[in-house]
Amino acid sequence: MSTDTTLEVSDEARCRAALPTDRVGRNYFKLFGASTISNLGDGIGIIAYPWLASAVTRHPLLIALVGLV
């Protein structure tokens, strides 16, 4: 009985050793793409909101307040 268990463990270990460990999965690329798009959108918003405020008003204090928020 212990011989069967040893064979099962060695087969399982061999299968695990055959799997590539240096590749990342599909979920990682989905997460990476979503994070990249989100960061790009945040960066565009940081520029766009003060720019929009400067188009609406020429008061420097109001434009600065929009940049702080």
Side-chain angles (χ1 to χ4, degrees), residues 1-53:
M1 183 165 183
S2 64
T3 313
D4 293 334
T5 307
T6 307
L7 289 176
E8 289 176 16
V9 171
S10 64
D11 289 341
E12 184 179 343
R14 196 175 325 125
C15 289
R16 284 187 182 169
L19 293 174
T21 57
D22 60 341
R23 302 185 106 189
V24 292
R26 181 177 181 199
N27 288 334
Y28 173 79
F29 287 112
K30 287 167 54 173
L31 177 66
F32 184 77
S35 178
T36 301
I37 291 170
S38 177
N39 286 329
L40 182 62
D42 289 343
I44 290 171
I46 287 172
I47 300 299
Y49 293 129
W51 193 8
L52 178 63

Side-chain angles (χ1 to χ4, degrees), residues 50 53-54 57 59-69:
S54 71
T57 183
H59 195 272
L61 181 63
L62 295 176
I63 296 171
L65 287 175
V66 169
L68 288 176
V69 176

